Amino acid sequence: MAAKDGAKSQEDYKLKDMKPELGERWPHGGQRGGTGWIGSERAASTYDLVEQMFYLYVRVVKAKDLPPNPVTSNCDPYVEVKIGNYKGKTKHFEKRTNPEWNQVFAFSKDKVQSSTVEVYVRDKEMVTRDEYIGKVVFDMREVPTRVPPDSPLAPQWYRLEDRRGESKKRGEVMVAVWLGTQADEAFPDAWHSDASSVQGEGVQSVRSKVYVSPKLWYLRVNVIEAQDVEPSDRSQPPQAFVKVQVGNQILKTKLCPNKTTSPMWNEDLVFVAAEPFEEQFFLTVENKVSSAKDEVMGRLISPLNVFEKRLDHRAVHSKWYNLEKFGFGALEGDKRHELKFSSRIHLRVCLEGGYHVMDESTLYISDVKPTARQLWKQPIGILEVGILSAQGLSPMKTKDGKATTDPYCVAKYGQKWVRTRTIIESYNPKWNEQYTWEVHDPCTVITLGVFDNCHLGGSEKSNNGAKVDARIGKVRIRLSTLEADRIYTHSYPLLVLQTKGLKKMGEVQLAVRFTCLSLAHMIYLYGHPLLPKMHYLHPFTVNQLDSLRYQAMSIVAARLSRAEPPLRKEIVEYMLDVDSHMWSMRRSKANFFRIVSVFSGLLAMSKWLGDVCYWKNPLTTILFHILFFILICYPELILPTTFLYMFLIGLWSFRFRPRHPPHMDTKLSWAEAASPDELDEEFDTFPTSKGQDVVKMRYDRLRSVAGRIQMVIGDIATQGERFQALLSWRDPRATCLFVIFCLFAAMILYVTPFKIVALVGGMFWMRHPKFRSKMPSAPSNFFRKLPSKADCML
């Protein structure tokens, strides 16, 4: 039973093929008189990677000549659109007889049971029941159909009718009613009947939106030197350093080694800045008075947009900047003395436009373009993604005592983020929204995540008690694994690793198509560096890249959280894998076994060669001998034979090529085999929030793992030092023997043809087991007895 359950769970975690009905399928004929508005041969639009969903749209534009209330002599009008049990209301205006709303209502046609559309105009009353002004009724059978790219349907004026519809009343309302799909441009900003229960600020958070990441720059500050900096105690020369702050980023130079009023550093500090530049450049020159006290001797404040923008590796002109007095010197108020004598600092500051500011790991990077737009190349392809639906989602929160989920999907590729609308209270939501991105490099990755909306303005509360949008799962698709112009329709498992273990949260259905615009350009990119050339001409250190990436992620999260509706910080961090660098025993095991898997082919080859040498299969050994003789006699065939062999292997492997994009692999990730304590450690905060006993146990475990790694590294170092000892005369007898051996080997090889040497060496290596000894060989014994530096370590 356990084996069956394990096999079932493994099958449940795999990718599944789908066959959805994609594209537009309009009914033959039309909606009026048999011939209708839409012909059956009309070409379908490019909205072809999603299943078509029909909506009834009602656009309420404005009203005029509305009668005032006979009691209050005022009119506070609003419009109510009613179809069956669904009602949508506009906002009301106070004391206005000619209001303008310009609001669109969208009703899912599958859920509409009524045959009429009723548009009521009412007068808002604070105490009594809202006063009826008039209504307009539309027959569903008479509603026209509109297909983009047709122009929007023109709204018309309609006279208001009384309750029974028998007579006209004073006042008119401008309305347009049509039948369309989710491809309609009115769809994203429309009020949806599916979200009719959402009120207040939550209305904005249920709509689909497109976001753009802020334009990020690297700010390079080369601190060269300063002149005439004076501390408060002028009897002692200062030991100065420079501190620079840009937003929340603070970096310091090293202390000047000499105590002087004209210190020198010549040190680079690099920051991340985002357009529009809101932060100030704040620099201070400080004196290290003691280990616990720093004294500010001068400061410089400047906006970032005054600095030069550099697009390549050309030198930037340095500049002297006057420092403002700080502290006692600033309070003296002797302006004439300040003009004649001023502390100043020598800087070379520029905004780097030739780099790509990385806010995600290079392992699954989605954008490789430099910051400066004039350096961008033409796109090589188009990526289209249809976010179809999800199935079997887990309940993520409780609302009014009932478990529920309000899911939406977020996709990120390049600088463009998209967010689908939120489907209220559904475990099987259908979005059917299609988005498009330009592709500048095929070796990039698109990331899609599914989340639960916890900001609908109600009493909902997530399962973990926090008011954050809970993660349901994530999918990554590498574009280079996709065939051009093919539509991939698959159901991806949504897997989340929790402290209790691996859990499948549901499945998300996607349709993906990568269209190649220039095959020659795409082939050229495979030999081109992944990142812009500035990353290789003036590279950053590994520590700098890690720090800058974290700062870039923080800036992107902060800027997107200020949009409306906000793309919240927890979503951006999850999509960008902000914690991927943190220690994890599970990841360490997974990476170890990845290395083992990489070298498994070499191990299998060495085992096969061992079997050949030991004549496990005499026929194979004889054939290998024949091939060896041929290659010895004709050495010029070695390289062509090798490449031909790899070509044939590639052709053979083509039959077994993957038929679908890769997805999250639970076995590769070592997710199911991780122990509860390892998962608890992985999800621990940094710094840790655990008790002393737990931290001590984990520290001891980490020491044992690190001890094994230390032994392996030590063994590798020992072997390398033994190679060095061959000629270092640390062991004079061993080095003497090796030198004499080298002399005789050189004399023999000078007079012996190489073919003979290779033939003799190969035959000796493949000799029959009868001529082999189980004892180690003489060269192996000699090498193992060579000295290393291990005996010199404390």
Side-chain angles (χ1 to χ4, degrees), residues 38 130 153-154 196 219 253 319 378 426 435 502 611 686 696 712:
I38 307 300
D130 293 348
L153 198 67
S196 58
L219 175 69
T253 65
K319 187 177 178 181
Q378 290 294 320
S426 176
Y435 298 96
L502 180 68
D611 292 344
F686 187 85
K696 182 178 180 296
V712 172

Side-chain angles (χ1 to χ4, degrees), residues 240-487:
F241 67 94
V242 174
K243 181 169 74 174
V244 182
Q245 180 173 357
V246 178
N248 295 325
Q249 307 167 69
I250 300 176
L251 294 177
K252 300 177 182 179
T253 65
K254 296 178 182 177
L255 286 173
C256 180
N258 302 320
K259 290 188 175 184
T260 175
T261 57
S262 297
M264 295 188 66
W265 299 279
N266 196 23
E267 193 171 333
D268 273 359
L269 306 177
V270 185
F271 303 86
V272 178
E275 287 188 354
F277 299 122
E278 300 175 350
E279 297 84 4
Q280 294 271 31
F281 175 81
F282 188 84
L283 178 146
T284 56
V285 180
E286 303 185 15
N287 176 29
K288 193 73 175 177
V289 179
S290 66
S291 59
K293 182 181 178 183
D294 299 329
E295 175 196 10
V296 178
M297 297 183 291
R299 69 180 179 185
L300 170 67
I301 301 176
S302 172
L304 296 180
N305 52 15
V306 301
F307 298 125
E308 181 180 353
K309 293 181 179 179
R310 183 170 74 164
L311 306 184
D312 51 23
H313 58 282
R314 62 182 173 83
V316 177
H317 296 295
S318 60
K319 187 177 178 181
W320 286 95
Y321 296 87
N322 290 330
L323 294 171
E324 297 178 18
K325 295 286 186 181
F326 201 85
F328 178 73
L331 300 176
E332 291 178 350
D334 190 351
K335 297 295 181 183
R336 290 180 301 169
H337 176 70
E338 187 175 330
L339 290 174
K340 290 180 181 178
F341 176 81
S342 175
S343 302
R344 59 180 188 163
I345 189 166
H346 194 193
L347 302 175
R348 184 181 287 111
V349 188
C350 67
L351 290 160
E352 299 279 12
Y355 289 90
H356 168 70
V357 181
M358 286 183 284
D359 58 355
E360 53 196 347
S361 171
T362 53
L363 298 177
Y364 26 81
I365 197 168
S366 67
D367 185 20
V368 294
K369 301 188 299 296
T371 298
R373 194 176 186 90
Q374 51 266 48
L375 299 179
W376 292 7
K377 306 295 185 183
Q378 290 294 320
I380 56 99
I382 300 294
L383 173 65
E384 298 166 279
V385 177
I387 303 173
L388 304 179
S389 60
Q391 297 289 331
L393 298 182
S394 300
M396 302 301 297
K397 60 175 177 284
T398 56
K399 184 189 297 184
D400 300 328
K402 183 180 71 171
T404 184
T405 300
D406 302 320
Y408 64 93
C409 186
V410 175
K412 194 266 181 188
Y413 183 79
Q415 292 183 319
K416 180 179 175 181
W417 300 66
V418 300
R419 170 178 174 159
T420 67
R421 70 192 189 282
T422 300
I423 307 299
I424 305 300
E425 298 182 6
S426 176
Y427 298 139
N428 302 295
K430 289 188 177 181
W431 294 291
N432 284 305
E433 298 182 25
Q434 182 171 338
Y435 298 96
T436 305
W437 289 267
E438 289 183 345
V439 177
H440 291 264
D441 195 299
C443 301
T444 46
V445 177
I446 181 173
T447 305
L448 302 100
V450 182
F451 301 88
D452 175 53
N453 196 333
C454 288
H455 296 84
L456 301 179
S459 60
E460 66 271 3
K461 188 176 182 181
S462 61
N463 290 341
N464 59 9
K467 190 77 171 180
V468 296
D469 288 357
R471 58 185 69 168
I472 299 178
K474 181 166 57 178
V475 173
R476 294 194 199 101
I477 302 174
R478 182 169 290 274
L479 271 58
S480 58
T481 63
L482 304 178
E483 297 177 14
D485 303 314
R486 174 185 167 187
I487 298 177

Side-chain angles (χ1 to χ4, degrees), residues 15-19 486 489-491 659-660:
L15 208 63
K16 298 176 183 176
D17 286 318
M18 293 172 51
K19 293 184 179 179
R486 174 185 167 187
T489 53
H490 292 100
S491 180
R659 303 291 179 172
H660 52 73

Side-chain angles (χ1 to χ4, degrees), residues 582-704:
M582 299 298 292
W583 159 258
S584 165
M585 181 69 76
R586 176 190 61 84
R587 286 200 192 103
S588 301
K589 289 180 180 178
N591 289 332
F592 171 77
F593 284 103
R594 285 172 62 197
I595 294 175
V596 171
S597 176
V598 167
F599 289 104
S600 62
L602 294 177
L603 295 175
M605 177 63 72
S606 64
K607 183 178 182 299
W608 181 78
L609 290 175
D611 292 344
V612 169
C613 294
Y614 283 90
W615 292 71
K616 293 293 181 65
N617 188 335
L619 180 60
T620 302
T621 303
I622 292 171
L623 292 176
F624 190 84
H625 277 72
I626 295 172
L627 177 63
F628 179 72
F629 283 134
I630 294 174
L631 293 179
I632 290 296
C633 296
Y634 303 97
E636 64 275 9
L637 297 179
I638 294 177
L639 285 179
T641 303
T642 302
F643 285 109
L644 179 62
Y645 182 65
M646 288 192 290
F647 169 76
L648 294 174
I649 290 177
L651 284 184
W652 179 259
S653 302
F654 181 77
R655 298 174 54 199
F656 310 103
R657 67 190 185 279
R659 303 291 179 172
H660 52 73
H663 64 290
M664 302 293 184
D665 192 331
T666 57
K667 188 176 181 180
L668 178 69
S669 305
W670 212 250
E672 295 181 278
S675 67
D677 184 67
E678 291 173 353
L679 294 175
D680 187 60
E681 179 184 23
E682 183 171 341
F683 289 98
D684 191 11
T685 58
F686 187 85
T688 182
S689 58
K690 300 298 179 181
Q692 183 177 355
D693 293 339
V694 175
V695 174
K696 182 178 180 296
M697 181 271 292
R698 290 176 180 171
Y699 175 64
D700 290 340
R701 182 175 63 193
L702 187 60
R703 288 177 65 191
S704 67

Side-chain angles (χ1 to χ4, degrees), residues 19-26 42-53 147-148 181-184 382-388 432-436 485-489 510-515:
K19 293 184 179 179
E21 294 183 358
L22 302 181
E24 296 189 345
R25 289 174 172 79
W26 295 92
R42 180 186 178 92
S45 75
T46 57
Y47 216 71
D48 59 345
L49 290 185
V50 293
E51 295 179 319
Q52 195 173 38
M53 300 175 68
V147 188
T181 67
Q182 72 270 37
D184 200 294
I382 300 294
L383 173 65
E384 298 166 279
V385 177
I387 303 173
L388 304 179
N432 284 305
E433 298 182 25
Q434 182 171 338
Y435 298 96
T436 305
D485 303 314
R486 174 185 167 187
I487 298 177
Y488 290 84
T489 53
L510 304 174
V512 182
R513 177 172 59 203
F514 171 56
T515 304

